[in-house]
């Protein structure tokens, strides 16, 4: 037997005034992940995604990622993300997803686990089995409504986050070119005004560039044309409203920028793979 001693006193990673709180945890199989979850962001919460099996493609912030088994995806509070198929007929992606609030690390905004200079996707490597075990225990406690589940998950969550912080992180060199600044300005404008009547002509006039250059710059970075981006931004917000509210489909269509409910339903079905009504039923059943 080898006995090891703790060499250092405890130096907590978290702000003393806040304790990370688990809001929800999902064990999601390919019944759900094969349907795109388009552009959306979360207010006052962050999410941690762990890929148990399969592969996929994700746009997080302004970066595209090819994701695979063992990857950890960090969705900071207020950061847009888009989950979509990577062109394969069957990616078989299954994931754990947990929503968290009251995370405060030194030097970072509230509910941010990494800085914008770092990759939003981490490769768990040797940490994979421990991370999956922690998530399995949290899911078991909450799904089975065991006595003391909330307290147990509070400790497990802190262990999970601390373990993730041990994983080496990749830094990005942020481009300061005129093109990258222009792209950020265009994305920011669309993200604020996506519910309004925006088209290529109005965007090109606003930013004093040709429509050809607008599409070229935007698609090179995001993988989508500006119009595709606007549609996915609207549909992503509609998905959140369908999952989290009881608002009618007609009301939701108007909230995301579509006066014609039939046209909204057609775009939704084309983007997601099922009608708004079926999408709401799928999530309410689970």
């Amino acid at each position: 037997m080898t006995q090891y001693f703790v060499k250092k006193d405890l130096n907590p990673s978290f702000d003393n005034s806040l304790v990370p709180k688990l809001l929800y945890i999902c064990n999601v199989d390919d019944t759900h992940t094969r349907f795109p979850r388009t552009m959306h962001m979360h207010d006052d919460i962050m999410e941690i995604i762990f890929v148990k099996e399969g592969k996929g493609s994700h746009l997080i912030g302004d970066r595209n990622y090819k994701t695979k088994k063992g990857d950890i995806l960090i969705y900071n509070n207020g950061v847009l993300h888009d989950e979509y198929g990577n062109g394969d007929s069957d990616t078989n992606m299954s994931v754990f997803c947990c929503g968290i609030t009251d995370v405060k690390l030194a030097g970072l905004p509230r509910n941010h686990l990494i800085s914008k200079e770092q990759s939003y996707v981490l490769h768990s490597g040797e940490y994979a089995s421990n991370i999956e075990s922690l998530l399995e225990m949290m899911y078991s406690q909450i799904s089975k409504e065991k006595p003391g589940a909330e307290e147990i998950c509070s400790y497990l969550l802190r262990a999970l986050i601390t373990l993730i912080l041990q994983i080496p992180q990749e830094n990005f060199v942020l481009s300061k070119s005129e093109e990258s600044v222009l792209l950020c300005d265009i994305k920011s404008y669309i993200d604020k005004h996506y519910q309004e009547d925006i088209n290529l002509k109005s965007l090109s006039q606003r930013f004093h560039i040709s429509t050809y250059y607008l599409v070229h710059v935007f698609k090179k970075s995001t993988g989508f044309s500006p119009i595709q981006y606007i549609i996915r931004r609207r549909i992503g917000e509609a998905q959140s409203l369908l999952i989290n509210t009881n608002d009618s489909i007609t009301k939701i269509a108007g909230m995301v920028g579509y006066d014609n409910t039939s046209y909204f339903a057609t775009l939704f079905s084309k983007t997601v793979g099922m009608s708004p009504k079926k999408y709401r039923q799928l999530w309410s059943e689970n």
Side-chain angles (χ1 to χ4, degrees), residues 46-50 72-74 96-98 100 113 161 164:
M46 60 162 292
E47 284 186 334
I48 294 174
I49 312 293
F50 177 76
I72 302 163
L73 287 61
I74 308 297
F96 274 118
C97 168
C98 51
I100 309 162
L113 198 56
I161 294 173
I164 290 174

Side-chain angles (χ1 to χ4, degrees), residues 163-211:
L163 194 61
I164 290 174
L165 293 175
Q166 291 183 355
I167 298 173
Q169 297 185 357
E170 179 183 352
N171 289 326
F172 278 84
V173 178
L174 299 180
S175 172
K176 297 298 182 182
S177 68
E178 289 185 10
E179 189 173 283
S180 67
V181 172
L182 173 64
L183 175 68
C184 287
D185 289 343
I186 297 170
K187 277 182 79 276
S188 178
Y189 179 81
I190 292 175
D191 292 337
K192 290 178 182 177
H193 300 277
Y194 68 90
Q195 297 156 312
E196 301 171 12
D197 184 16
I198 303 175
N199 54 52
L200 288 178
K201 183 178 179 180
S202 63
L203 284 172
S204 61
Q205 288 176 344
R206 180 176 184 85
F207 292 99
H208 309 290
I209 55 177
S210 70
T211 54

Side-chain angles (χ1 to χ4, degrees), residues 92-103:
N92 291 320
M93 178 176 277
S94 61
V95 305
F96 274 118
C97 168
C98 51
I100 309 162
T101 192
D102 292 343
V103 176

Side-chain angles (χ1 to χ4, degrees), residues 49-54 67-71 73 93-95:
I49 312 293
F50 177 76
V51 182
K52 297 190 297 177
E53 295 289 344
T67 49
K68 61 185 186 301
K69 179 179 179 179
D71 282 350
L73 287 61
M93 178 176 277
S94 61
V95 305

Side-chain angles (χ1 to χ4, degrees), residues 88-223:
D88 295 341
S89 59
D90 188 5
T91 58
N92 291 320
M93 178 176 277
S94 61
V95 305
F96 274 118
C97 168
C98 51
I100 309 162
T101 192
D102 292 343
V103 176
K104 183 66 181 77
L105 304 180
L108 291 177
R110 190 171 182 269
N111 293 326
H112 279 56
L113 198 56
I114 56 176
S115 73
K116 63 181 180 180
E117 289 83 16
Q118 295 170 317
S119 173
Y120 291 119
V121 175
L122 308 177
H123 308 300
S124 59
E126 63 182 291
Y127 298 85
S129 60
N130 289 334
I131 288 170
E132 186 166 359
S133 294
L134 287 169
L135 289 163
E136 287 275 10
M137 286 189 285
M138 290 164 63
Y139 182 77
S140 175
Q141 288 288 321
I142 296 299
S143 63
K144 295 177 181 178
E145 300 182 349
K146 294 187 176 182
E150 295 78 8
E151 184 175 9
I152 290 172
C153 284
S154 177
Y155 296 126
L156 292 174
L157 178 60
R158 278 177 273 180
L160 173 69
I161 294 173
T162 306
L163 194 61
I164 290 174
L165 293 175
Q166 291 183 355
I167 298 173
Q169 297 185 357
E170 179 183 352
N171 289 326
F172 278 84
V173 178
L174 299 180
S175 172
K176 297 298 182 182
S177 68
E178 289 185 10
E179 189 173 283
S180 67
V181 172
L182 173 64
L183 175 68
C184 287
D185 289 343
I186 297 170
K187 277 182 79 276
S188 178
Y189 179 81
I190 292 175
D191 292 337
K192 290 178 182 177
H193 300 277
Y194 68 90
Q195 297 156 312
E196 301 171 12
D197 184 16
I198 303 175
N199 54 52
L200 288 178
K201 183 178 179 180
S202 63
L203 284 172
S204 61
Q205 288 176 344
R206 180 176 184 85
F207 292 99
H208 309 290
I209 55 177
S210 70
T211 54
Y212 172 81
Y213 185 64
L214 168 66
V215 173
H216 171 74
V217 169
F218 203 91
K219 192 165 186 177
K220 185 173 75 171
S221 175
T222 66

